[in-house]
Amino acid sequence: MKTPKSLIPLQEEGVISEVLYQLQSGKEATVYRVRAGSEELCAKVYKDATRRSFRQAATYREGRGTRNTRDARAMARGSKFGKQVTEGSWRNAEVDALYRLAEAGVRVPKPYGVFDGILLMELITDDEGQAASRLCELVFSEDEALEIHEELIREVVRMLCAGVVHGDLSQYNILMDAWGPVIIDLPQAVDAAGNPHARGMLERDVNNLRDFFAEFAPALRDTRYAAEIWGLYEDGALTPETPLTGHAEEDLHEADLISVLREIEDARLEEEARQRRMQESEDD
């Protein structure tokens, strides 16, 4: 195919030798299958912030610090330079997460580096060398669904033990190769300890998996892996090998909140009754 404008510099510099075809175009990037010497790789070209449809980006940036105070001030002001720094941070987040997770044993594409803002990484293929399918494109038996769901829950645990929450995990960004699921698309990955929204994001990731696989294995609908995993993580008891049951105790904080609201309502009703008695006494 004709080389896209964004990839011409990489071709001119000899980083890649040929662009084969476009693999996909998503909400934050377009991915191409390219040749680099004797290898075939993925080239991920990130979309400009004005063209990205990914929402609530600021929520995902929370907890991502920068050591350069000038950059931090520019990002906070939203200046032109600050927006450039923010864009760089968005792109680098995926590279950092890929290296971090690969080292932790999570099945993600192997990163080859960033060149002119474009991420080069391993091409995930099927048995025939074609680009691997996404989960949403496949149909599973009940046993297959239970097995793959268990594998992915274990991957989520490995990620969390490495301090990372995917933040947008679903059947649309998990590929299936001959050895099982491979997790992709990590520019919105967040630091589990540094981002105040990490728990909610982990719950959404895990529940997305539950809802998808429950279509093939209905028993999964009654599981509560998200609450169990986060509870173990908060207690410092979570490891990649920690046995999981899919069950968790009732959230006592929620129960306490209900009790407090009931007490407030009882107090309100008691005060209204007292006011009525006083008014009746004055009328007499």
Side-chain angles (χ1 to χ4, degrees):
M1 66 172 287
K2 182 180 178 181
T3 303
K5 184 178 179 180
S6 56
L7 292 174
I8 290 176
L10 272 68
Q11 199 166 38
E12 292 177 342
E13 294 169 15
V15 177
I16 62 175
S17 54
E18 184 182 2
V19 180
L20 300 175
Y21 55 85
Q22 178 180 307
L23 282 171
Q24 68 176 71
S25 182
K27 55 194 173 186
E28 80 268 350
T30 301
V31 181
Y32 298 90
R33 184 169 184 165
V34 302
R35 197 183 305 280
S38 61
E39 292 188 88
E40 291 187 7
L41 306 174
C42 283
K44 187 168 188 176
V45 181
Y46 295 91
K47 294 181 179 179
D48 184 80
T50 58
R51 297 173 55 210
R52 280 202 308 260
S53 60
F54 196 84
R55 299 180 179 180
Q56 297 179 317
T59 300
Y60 291 84
R61 288 198 301 269
E62 289 191 45
R64 293 181 187 172
T66 174
R67 296 180 181 179
N68 188 311
T69 55
R70 174 172 173 262
D71 289 355
R73 290 196 300 271
M75 290 171 68
R77 289 197 304 270
S79 65
K80 182 177 180 180
F81 173 69
K83 290 178 181 178
Q84 292 175 347
V85 175
T86 299
E87 282 299 291
S89 172
W90 180 262
R91 297 171 185 180
N92 291 336
E94 178 158 31
V95 183
D96 293 343
L98 285 173
Y99 279 110
R100 191 171 176 181
L101 295 177
E103 185 177 351
V106 179
R107 294 204 72 212
V108 294
K110 177 184 176 181
Y112 284 80
V114 178
F115 305 86
D116 292 334
I118 295 169
L119 170 62
L120 288 183
M121 57 185 170
E122 176 187 7
L123 174 68
I124 306 300
T125 61
D126 59 20
D127 291 339
E128 299 178 354
Q130 299 301 313
S133 299
R134 295 180 295 171
L135 280 186
C136 62
E137 300 167 335
L138 302 173
V139 176
F140 303 97
S141 68
E142 183 174 1
D143 288 343
E144 288 172 337
L146 290 171
E147 180 181 351
I148 297 170
H149 176 266
E150 183 178 352
E151 288 182 46
L152 284 166
I153 289 296
R154 189 55 56 188
E155 292 288 70
V156 169
V157 169
R158 287 194 190 95
M159 292 174 70
L160 187 56
C161 289
V164 177
V165 174
H166 187 287
D168 191 34
L169 190 62
S170 73
Q171 63 269 31
Y172 300 102
N173 45 34
I174 299 171
L175 303 178
M176 284 292 294
D177 68 8
W179 295 274
V182 180
I183 295 172
I184 62 172
D185 292 342
L186 288 144
Q188 70 291 317
V190 301
D191 184 274
N195 190 299
H197 309 286
R199 176 176 182 169
M201 292 179 188
L202 178 108
E203 290 177 346
R204 184 175 59 197
D205 287 352
V206 172
N207 291 340
N208 282 342
L209 297 177
R210 176 199 64 197
D211 295 344
F212 173 74
F213 285 106
E215 295 297 318
F216 309 101
L220 290 173
R221 289 197 176 94
D222 297 325
T223 58
R224 298 190 63 207
Y225 280 104
E228 180 184 16
I229 291 169
W230 191 264
L232 290 166
Y233 172 71
E234 281 193 323
D235 292 341
L238 187 68
T239 73
E241 293 76 32
T242 300
L244 299 174
T245 65
H247 303 288
E249 294 181 4
E250 181 182 358
D251 189 340
L252 297 180
H253 294 292
E254 182 178 348
D256 289 344
L257 177 60
I258 293 174
S259 298
V260 169
L261 292 175
R262 285 174 177 167
E263 290 180 8
I264 292 173
E265 178 64 10
D266 289 344
R268 185 185 67 81
L269 294 173
E270 184 177 342
E271 176 61 19
E272 287 181 353
R274 188 181 69 84
Q275 292 290 344
R276 284 197 299 272
R277 288 196 297 272
M278 290 179 60
Q279 184 63 43
E280 291 170 357
S281 176
E282 291 176 359
D283 292 342
D284 292 341

